Amino acid sequence: MFTAFLIKYAEIGVKGKNRYLFEEALVKQIKYAVKRCEGEFKVTRTQGRIYVEAQSDFDFDEVTDNLKTVFGISGICPVVYLEDEGIEKLGEAIVAYMEKVHPEQNQSFKVHARRARKNYPLNSMELNSELGGIILAARPDLQVDVHNPAILLSVEIREKIYIYSKTIPGPGGMPVGSGGKAMLLLSGGIDSPVAGYMIAKRGVKIDAVYFHAPPYTSERAKQKVVDLARQVSYYTGPIYLHVINFTEIQLYIYEKCPHEELTIIMRRYMMRIAEHIAGETGCLGLITGESIGQVASQTLPSLAATNEVCTMAVYRPLIGMDKMEIVELSEKIGTYETSILPYEDCCTIFVAKHPVTKPNVERIRKHEKNLEERIDELVAEALRTDEVLVVHR
Ligand code: ATP
Ligand code: MG
């Protein structure tokens, strides 16, 4: 029945002169989403409207499910379109549309016509009453209600004529690629994939870095992170995932520093390395899944100690959320089941029994001095292990 989709976008409509940049980013993401679907599609942008037109058979649910992953879309309207062959043919098409899409009896409706092509013989008002009359003649059970109709039937006259009346909610947000790029510190846990999702939702393209520590962390743990990156990429487009071998650094910290400060010092080195890679790859910020108080390394003093080593902005979109709320979101975006697989992550191997919750930055700096002899060389070596995987659906 439906042969196209009209894409509605709210927030990006208000961006003045920058609007076309946002629309271009949105079109790009829409193309990426429909490319995954069975069938051929044409994505077009005209006069503040984006249409996805099917050029072949397609699976309606597959296409709408994929469009629901595109940030920037506020609504997806399934559309029937036809060639302009006169008002009589249009009337027939509209009656057929109402029969198929709105067979329920005794509904109220309103026709909302828009004439984007001014050479059409009827203006919008005339079209509204003409088409309203045709519908009423064919469907005496319906009533017109111009103020609060149950069915708002839109008819747009362009090159072709488009008919629609239903809107499937989109995810909202801004199209990925319209807001710069940031580096996500992606572990195998519940939080960081959600953090990446939230920042991407604001239009930011995402790269990711994962620190693994073989043989203390397994290949399966790494594969889990790749899988999580892939799930996040449904929303963000392809992700460049940097896998860094962190084992030597971790062992060295373990050997030289007090064990209750291990986690914090490790996290400081992760941030330093992530910032380095971010700088080299054009990222403008780091993203972590931290949330205040969730674990010892996420108290305010701990976060301050971790933050101190970065000059780049660090975005922590989950900072004020409860675990329950984060879990809910991870279920919604489809990462939860993977996140809870029981493979160890590199922090669980080296955690102290009693990690500090109020680290003293002076002391931490002092203990990091114990690392002076080899740490630069180990960091450089870790950067050389950088394995870049391009992860996408
Ligand atoms: P998550 O569920 O995201 O793993 P968490 O509650 O386990 O978070 P921590 O282990 O303290 O928290 O890590 C805090 C943040 O540091 C993570 O959200 C992630 O952004 C980053 N991080 C931790 N471990 C790694 C790792 N091995 N590789 C990359 N980033 C990491
Ligand atoms: Mg973790």
Side-chain angles (χ1 to χ4, degrees):
M1 163 94 194
F2 294 109
T3 42
F5 298 88
L6 166 66
I7 304 300
K8 292 199 163 159
Y9 46 100
E11 197 159 2
I12 64 180
V14 302
K15 293 291 171 184
K17 276 196 281 184
N18 288 332
R19 177 169 169 161
Y20 82 99
L21 289 177
F22 290 81
E23 289 178 341
E24 270 174 11
L26 184 54
V27 165
K28 190 171 163 202
Q29 293 303 120
I30 291 170
K31 285 183 174 163
Y32 177 70
V34 295
K35 219 164 76 188
R36 302 193 287 253
C37 303
E38 206 65 55
E40 287 293 313
F41 303 89
K42 197 167 95 191
V43 182
T44 53
R45 174 164 63 101
T46 42
Q47 300 165 306
R49 283 273 195 264
I50 294 174
Y51 286 99
V52 177
E53 288 176 20
Q55 311 285 294
S56 65
D57 285 347
F58 67 98
D59 181 318
F60 183 85
D61 291 335
E62 184 187 34
V63 172
T64 50
D65 283 350
N66 277 281
L67 288 174
K68 279 193 232 167
T69 66
V70 178
F71 296 134
I73 294 183
S74 63
I76 303 156
C77 306
V79 168
V80 168
Y81 66 85
L82 51 144
E83 300 295 333
D84 178 11
E85 293 171 327
I87 185 80
E88 215 166 290
K89 280 270 193 281
L90 175 57
E92 282 168 22
I94 282 188
V95 168
Y97 180 98
M98 291 298 286
E99 272 312 320
K100 269 233 159 117
V101 182
H102 297 289
E104 334 75 74
Q105 298 274 301
N106 302 319
Q107 301 285 305
S108 62
F109 78 98
K110 171 186 171 179
V111 179
H112 176 68
R114 271 189 22 153
R115 192 179 56 153
R117 176 155 61 78
K118 296 299 173 206
N119 66 1
Y120 196 78
L122 301 181
N123 70 26
S124 303
M125 295 289 276
E126 292 164 342
L127 266 169
N128 286 344
S129 65
E130 181 74 25
L131 295 173
I134 291 175
I135 293 171
L136 282 176
R139 290 281 301 275
D141 63 293
L142 302 177
Q143 311 99 45
V144 173
D145 179 347
V146 291
H147 300 297
N148 197 17
I151 302 164
L152 180 64
L153 182 68
S154 295
V155 179
E156 293 196 7
I157 311 284
R158 299 173 176 274
E159 250 348 89
K160 294 181 189 133
I161 299 175
Y162 299 83
I163 306 168
Y164 60 92
S165 60
K166 292 200 162 198
T167 306
I168 301 161
M174 315 276 274
V176 170
S178 63
K181 186 166 76 165
M183 179 67 71
L184 170 66
L185 282 86
L186 181 62
S187 67
I190 293 170
D191 305 322
S192 42
V194 176
Y197 169 91
M198 284 183 71
I199 297 296
K201 186 172 176 190
R202 300 309 305 162
V204 177
K205 188 165 167 25
I206 303 286
D207 281 351
V209 55
Y210 165 58
F211 297 94
H212 81 145
Y216 303 97
T217 59
S218 62
E219 269 308 297
R220 285 200 309 181
K222 175 178 156 188
Q223 186 55 45
K224 175 181 166 184
V225 173
V226 174
D227 292 342
L228 286 170
R230 181 171 300 115
Q231 283 151 3
V232 174
S233 81
Y234 289 7
Y235 301 91
T236 63
I239 292 179
Y240 286 76
L241 172 64
H242 299 259
V243 180
I244 298 283
N245 186 325
F246 202 58
T247 310
E248 290 302 317
I249 293 174
Q250 232 169 338
L251 289 172
Y252 192 51
I253 298 171
Y254 194 72
E255 179 193 329
K256 297 284 186 184
C257 299
H259 287 185
E260 70 274 13
E261 287 175 359
L262 264 181
T263 307
I264 295 281
I265 296 178
M266 247 167 44
R267 301 270 307 114
R268 281 162 65 96
Y269 277 96
M270 284 185 188
M271 298 300 270
R272 288 177 173 115
I273 293 173
E275 180 174 73
H276 180 90
I277 303 171
E280 304 251 287
T281 52
C283 292
L284 299 173
L286 303 178
I287 305 163
T288 74
E290 290 159 313
S291 153
I292 295 173
Q294 203 185 81
V295 286
S297 60
Q298 296 177 22
T299 62
L300 280 195
S302 300
L303 286 165
T306 312
N307 199 55
E308 190 213 29
V309 300
C310 295
T311 53
M312 196 174 265
V314 182
Y315 298 106
R316 299 178 170 90
L318 313 185
I319 199 70
M321 287 170 73
D322 293 344
K323 195 73 187 188
M324 282 290 284
E325 297 172 297
I326 300 169
V327 164
E328 227 170 81
L329 246 178
S330 81
E331 284 173 334
K332 191 186 118 192
I333 69 175
T335 52
Y336 183 72
E337 293 301 322
T338 307
S339 286
I340 60 172
L341 293 173
Y343 314 135
E344 70 296 338
D345 73 35
C346 74
C347 303
T348 54
I349 302 282
F350 291 93
V351 281
K353 285 212 180 60
H354 301 290
V356 282
T357 52
K358 277 196 213 160
N360 173 314
V361 177
E362 292 301 326
R363 276 188 41 163
I364 298 235
R365 287 201 204 114
K366 196 179 117 216
H367 292 139
E368 279 185 355
K369 285 233 166 18
N370 299 348
L371 304 169
E372 240 166 23
E373 198 185 322
R374 289 186 60 214
I375 194 68
D376 287 351
E377 168 204 327
L378 291 180
V379 167
E381 178 53 35
L383 284 168
R384 274 195 292 278
T385 68
D386 187 357
E387 177 195 2
V388 187
L389 308 170
V390 186
V391 182
H392 53 86
R393 188 155 167 174

